[in-house]
Amino acid sequence: MIAIRGATTVEKDCEQQIKYAVGEMMTQIRDKNGLDADKIVCTMFTITSDLKSCNPAKAAREAGFYSSALFCSQEPEILGALQKCIRVMVLAESDKKPVHVYLNGATVLRKDISSIINVAIDGPAGSGKSTVAKMIAKKLDILYLDTGAMYRACALKCKMSGVSVENEPEIKKIIDKIDIKVEYRGGAQSTMLDGEDVSELIRSPEISMLASTVSAYPFVREKMVSLQRQIAKAHSCVLDGRDIGTNVLPDCKFKFFVTASPEVRADRRYKELVIKGFKTSLDDVLKDIVARDNQDETRKSAPLKRAKDAVFVDTSKMTPDEVADLILKSIQEKI
Ligand code: DC
């Protein structure tokens, strides 16, 4: 026996819309799970109190799902719950893994009943992880935490202090006193260094390389990882970085490792830098990316590597939408 979940929403409390939405959801549940109608044992719906014009059990019957027991109850009115929503649990005779169906903006993540969830997305520079992490955070309506920005802020502080990143004792003194905070404005992350928003200043190619170097010091990592864990413990968020799945949140349930060929990654980063007005060449960007990969992968303290239980995604030939869909589907299957 398996339990298959589904949810859908409608725009208006209208009989036709509810009938169509229920028919669509039930048909997808049946087809995606390869079920014959007589294998469905029972179907239980809930409906939000803002929908009154049609009982989903009746809509399911009319859509041809009449051979099983059908039941519907009203969802409690809880602040933050999705509006105009119909949810279903289908019990069916099958030994396959259930494929859950979420349509029309209904998501698996129910703010009204879910606890904190963290999604770890690791990968090298230019793999597309930050673009995709932002898309997923938006879709799930949770925070996005760019952990690379914290190491970049450390690098900026060292640069502003005029201390070489190779000078470990002096860097240690700076990091002991550094004040890095992450704030959110309109859902977007602002990285604060000693009370100033440095979100733009940390994006230069020079800071990219310096961040890779300072991030190798264990005392830098210790401080940043502690901050990252605090944020992840207090908020549902998508974290992107190099060591989230292996070191920051090793018990995280949703782990992904995204990568692409160095040429594709350099091309993406080059285009981004040109748009931001940096003068550089594709060749230089490729050289930087290869040097940074090498430094991030070979450092002793929490190097860049795929966690054994992370889903591997090669984004070389994929659009950001395709990568985000794949990750969201994987989260949905595991939740
Ligand atoms: O993701 P990014 O390019 O902004 O990261 C800048 C550098 O910071 C990267 O080269 C290595 C380091 N980093 C890290 O060591 N661990 C993380 N979780 C994130 C970034």
Side-chain angles (χ1 to χ4, degrees):
M1 181 85 75
I2 55 170
I4 308 155
R5 280 172 288 162
T8 187
T9 62
V10 289
E11 274 174 27
K12 277 198 299 191
D13 181 15
C14 146
E15 185 176 357
Q16 280 319 105
Q17 282 196 14
I18 295 173
K19 281 186 179 167
Y20 180 81
V22 169
E24 184 189 29
M25 175 169 67
M26 291 302 293
T27 305
Q28 287 206 20
I29 286 179
R30 182 191 62 201
D31 295 350
K32 288 190 174 168
N33 288 280
L35 297 172
D36 288 332
D38 63 346
K39 297 289 177 216
I40 298 180
V41 178
C42 93
T43 305
M44 291 169 280
F45 291 99
T46 64
I47 189 163
T48 47
S49 59
D50 48 7
L51 297 179
K52 300 199 179 355
S53 57
C54 182
N55 179 340
K58 181 176 176 229
R61 248 204 184 131
E62 286 186 15
F65 295 85
Y66 38 73
S67 56
S68 75
L70 289 156
F71 169 80
C72 177
S73 67
Q74 187 184 302
E75 198 176 290
E77 281 177 51
I78 292 171
L79 199 65
L82 198 59
Q83 304 289 294
K84 299 193 180 62
C85 180
I86 302 149
R87 295 185 184 272
V88 70
M89 169 107 73
V90 173
L91 297 183
E93 284 172 26
S94 170
D95 47 15
K96 291 194 196 131
K97 219 173 134 214
V99 180
H100 308 295
V101 171
Y102 290 89
L103 302 172
N104 303 317
T107 60
V108 273
L109 236 202
R110 297 186 57 180
K111 282 191 150 184
D112 54 335
I113 59 170
S114 63
S115 49
I116 283 180
I117 77 149
N118 297 133
V119 178
I121 305 185
D122 288 306
S127 54
K129 61 185 188 307
S130 66
T131 309
V132 162
K134 278 181 209 154
M135 291 166 79
I136 289 164
K138 192 160 181 225
K139 183 88 189 166
L140 297 178
D141 193 17
I142 60 178
L143 295 180
Y144 159 59
L145 180 62
D146 171 3
T147 62
M150 297 176 169
Y151 295 99
R152 287 172 177 269
C154 292
L156 179 66
K157 175 81 185 184
C158 298
K159 189 187 160 209
M160 288 184 335
S161 311
V163 175
S164 155
V165 285
E166 313 295 336
N167 187 344
E168 186 169 345
E170 285 304 311
I171 298 286
K172 172 128 186 22
K173 283 186 206 158
I174 293 174
I175 299 299
D176 280 346
K177 283 193 260 155
I178 203 166
D179 171 24
I180 291 179
K181 288 198 181 72
V182 168
E183 294 181 359
Y184 288 89
R185 298 196 183 112
Q189 172 174 333
S190 295
T191 307
M192 311 297 291
L193 171 64
D194 299 329
E196 286 217 19
D197 187 346
V198 293
S199 309
E200 288 303 317
L201 282 178
I202 55 177
R203 293 290 148 200
S204 70
E206 185 193 1
I207 295 294
S208 300
M209 269 322 285
L210 293 178
S212 172
T213 307
V214 291
S215 68
Y217 291 125
F219 52 86
V220 174
R221 304 205 69 78
E222 213 176 289
K223 193 154 181 171
M224 296 308 115
V225 168
S226 154
L227 194 54
Q228 291 156 19
R229 286 188 182 139
Q230 273 174 38
I231 297 171
K233 201 170 167 203
H235 306 275
S236 286
C237 56
V238 182
L239 299 90
D240 83 9
R242 304 290 188 285
D243 63 334
I244 310 301
T246 52
N247 179 47
V248 181
L249 304 173
D251 297 328
C252 178
K253 197 168 157 194
F254 311 107
K255 291 185 189 176
F256 300 89
F257 189 88
V258 296
T259 190
S261 70
E263 290 73 20
V264 169
R265 292 189 283 122
D267 188 55
R268 289 176 186 160
R269 197 37 63 91
Y270 172 68
K271 286 178 181 146
E272 260 170 41
L273 289 169
V274 169
I275 289 172
K276 285 186 181 162
F278 289 103
K279 291 217 162 51
T280 182
S281 70
L282 181 57
D283 204 36
D284 282 348
V285 176
L286 179 59
K287 278 190 199 130
D288 274 4
I289 280 206
V290 172
R292 204 138 73 91
D293 283 358
N294 183 46
Q295 199 158 267
D296 294 346
E297 283 165 3
T298 57
R299 70 179 177 225
K300 285 204 178 76
S301 183
L304 163 66
K305 74 167 187 251
R306 175 187 171 189
K308 283 196 195 83
D309 50 350
V311 176
F312 180 83
V313 191
D314 183 341
T315 69
S316 302
K317 294 188 180 145
M318 292 172 86
T319 63
D321 279 327
E322 286 169 340
V323 182
D325 280 353
L326 188 149
I327 291 180
L328 282 164
K329 214 163 154 237
S330 169
I331 294 173
Q332 195 153 294
E333 279 164 9
K334 283 190 192 153
I335 212 159

